Amino acid sequence: MDELSPSPAHVTVLLREAVDALAIQPDGIYVDGTFGRGGHSRAILERLGPAGRLIAIDRDPQAIAAGAELARQDGRFSLHHATLGELGAVLRRVTGSEDGAVNGVLADLGVSSPQLDQQDRGFSFRFDGPLDMRMDTTQGETAEDWLNRADEQEIGEVIWRYGEERFARQIARAVIAARIIGRIRTTRELAELVGKTVRTREPGQHPATRTFQALRIFINQELEEVELVLPQAVRGLRTGGRLAVIAFHSLEDRIVKRFLQNAAKADHLPSKLPIRANEVNVATLKIIGKPVRASDAEVSANPRARSAIMRIAERVETRT
Ligand SMILES: C[S@@+](CC[C@H](N)C(=O)[O-])C[C@H]1O[C@@H](n2cnc3c(N)ncnc32)[C@H](O)[C@@H]1O
C-alpha cells in the first residue's frame, strides 16, 4: 500500500491468539477496549451467537467513524467514544453495572497503523505533518503546543522517562534553543532537530524514534490509562471472565505484568491471626499461561507485531 494513502489499513496483531485468550462463550458480553479498525472486534463477533454482545471503545474519533457501519448493521455490537480509563462508566451506562458485568475484556494498546501512517496526525517522523499526536483529536493539548510551552527540564524528563532516550537532556536543550528562533510546528522540524542532536544511531532506528515515542505516550497519558483500566477491568469481569492485554513496549508491559502478579497474589496468613477479612489481600485474578508473542510468520508479515506481548488472566471467585 502507498504509505501516504489517506486511510491506511490496520493489520491486527495476535488476532486469533487474542480471541482465543478470551475463551468466548457465544452468549457472553465482551469488551474490546481498543477498537482501532475492528480486527479483533469482528473476530469476536464471529464467535458470538445471537444473544452475545460486544461493547467496543476507542478514544479516536476516526476509529469511531470507521466502526459506525458495523454498529448500524450488527445489533450485538455497540461502539463508544471513550478512554480505557472510562471503562467502568461505559459498562455502567451500557449494562447497568460496572461490577461483574462482562465475560471478557481485551485491550490492544498503543497506536493503530492509520494513526501512525496518516501524516496529519503527527505521530510519525516518516512524514511531514503538524505535531499533533493526540489519539483523541477532540480534546487535550497537542504535542506542538506542549513542546513550545514546556520548560527544558520538563521536556528532558518526558523524553527520558517515556522514551528511555540517553540524549534526553541534550534534545531538550536543542528544543529550547530552536524555540528562540521560532515555534516548532511539524514532525519534520522536530525529527531533524533530534537527528542533529542524537549522535549515535541505534541499528535500524531513526534517531527520533525514542523522542516521538516519548511525546506520544506523554500527550496521550498512555501509561496512566493502563493503570486506570486494569482495576476497572477486573471489577467488570464475572468470575471466570478473561482479561487479555497486548502491550507494545516495556514501559506498558511492566505495568500490566506487575498488576497481574499482584492481583494473582493472596496473603497467606496463619488462620488465627486477629485481623479483619478486609485487611487481607485476596487474589482477584489467576494468570493464564505464559505471555504470548507473535509467531515468526506473523512478524515477517507484519513487523509491528515484533514487540507485541500479550498477558492473559482470569477473574477468580473472591467472595469468602
Ligand atoms: C493497536 S490499535 C487497536 C487495533 C485493533 N485491535 C484492530 O484490530 O483494529 C489501538 C487503538 O486503541 C485506541 N486507544 C489507545 N489507547 C486508548 C485509550 N487509552 N483509550 C481508548 N482508546 C485507546 C487507539 O486510538 C487505537 O485506535
Side-chain angles (χ1 to χ4, degrees):
M1 181 194 298
D2 172 8
E3 284 194 325
L4 290 173
S5 81
S7 184
H10 178 83
V11 181
T12 300
V13 169
L14 294 173
L15 178 58
R16 188 184 48 75
E17 293 85 344
V19 181
D20 284 350
L22 295 175
I24 298 212
Q25 296 170 28
D27 55 357
I29 305 178
Y30 291 86
V31 174
D32 178 355
T34 49
F35 177 77
R37 288 300 178 271
H40 286 118
S41 277
R42 286 186 180 81
I44 293 169
L45 285 167
E46 272 172 26
R47 294 204 195 169
L48 285 177
R53 279 164 82 184
L54 176 61
I55 301 161
I57 290 173
D58 205 294
R59 73 196 305 188
D60 184 342
Q62 291 191 2
I64 300 301
E69 187 56 31
L70 182 60
R72 261 193 302 276
Q73 284 170 1
D74 194 328
R76 303 168 303 166
F77 173 71
S78 65
L79 183 54
H80 307 267
H81 184 221
T83 62
L84 284 170
E86 293 165 335
L87 173 65
V90 171
L91 290 184
R92 204 172 338 118
R93 205 165 64 231
V94 180
T95 70
S97 166
E98 58 191 281
D99 244 330
V102 300
N103 300 78
V105 175
L106 171 66
D108 175 18
L109 300 169
V111 278
S112 64
S113 303
Q115 287 167 336
L116 276 177
D117 294 348
Q118 259 173 263
Q119 64 190 98
D120 61 341
R121 301 299 302 264
F123 283 103
S124 175
F125 46 77
R126 288 180 294 140
F127 318 118
D128 196 15
L131 263 178
D132 189 323
M133 294 200 189
R134 290 168 305 162
M135 291 188 201
D136 183 352
T137 45
T138 67
Q139 56 182 315
E141 190 173 28
T142 64
E144 177 187 338
D145 286 343
W146 182 77
L147 205 62
N148 285 286
R149 83 162 165 80
D151 65 29
E152 185 176 327
Q153 194 183 339
E154 236 179 320
I155 295 171
E157 268 172 28
V158 163
I159 297 175
W160 167 248
R161 189 176 320 150
Y162 301 125
E164 298 176 310
E165 168 63 69
R166 284 191 295 140
F167 297 97
R169 278 174 46 206
Q170 289 91 322
I171 294 167
R173 205 172 308 140
V175 166
I176 300 296
R179 269 168 31 183
I180 295 168
I181 300 161
R183 202 172 160 82
I184 303 167
R185 293 177 192 279
T186 68
T187 49
R188 181 147 304 151
E189 284 167 13
L190 179 63
E192 282 175 6
L193 181 149
V194 175
K196 283 187 207 136
T197 314
V198 172
R199 296 266 164 248
T200 52
R201 280 165 185 261
E202 292 169 65
Q205 228 184 47
H206 188 287
T209 303
R210 289 173 176 276
T211 300
F212 272 67
Q213 174 188 301
L215 290 180
R216 190 203 95 196
I217 291 174
F218 173 71
I219 288 296
N220 295 291
Q221 302 275 289
E222 290 181 39
L223 302 186
E224 291 81 355
E225 279 288 307
V226 179
E227 304 259 15
L228 280 172
V229 72
L230 293 170
Q232 294 179 56
V234 173
R235 249 189 102 176
L237 286 172
R238 296 178 182 164
T239 301
R242 289 286 180 92
L243 171 64
V245 184
I246 305 173
F248 287 87
H249 54 78
S250 57
L251 297 171
E252 216 165 52
D253 182 54
R254 205 174 303 150
I255 296 172
V256 179
K257 179 179 166 184
R258 289 199 183 137
F259 178 88
L260 297 189
Q261 282 173 345
N262 283 334
K265 207 168 18 180
D267 286 339
H268 294 291
L269 300 169
S271 58
K272 292 202 177 96
L273 216 61
I275 53 171
R276 294 192 185 91
N278 63 5
E279 290 168 341
V280 184
N281 275 335
V282 180
T284 51
L285 290 178
K286 174 172 84 182
I287 293 172
I288 303 290
K290 291 207 167 89
V292 179
R293 291 185 175 277
S295 65
D296 292 346
E298 179 172 357
V299 173
S300 59
N302 179 16
R304 213 178 76 82
R306 182 176 298 118
S307 50
I309 175 162
M310 177 171 66
R311 296 183 186 270
I312 310 162
E314 187 173 294
R315 183 78 160 98
V316 293
E317 182 64 75
T318 51
R319 278 179 286 273
T320 45

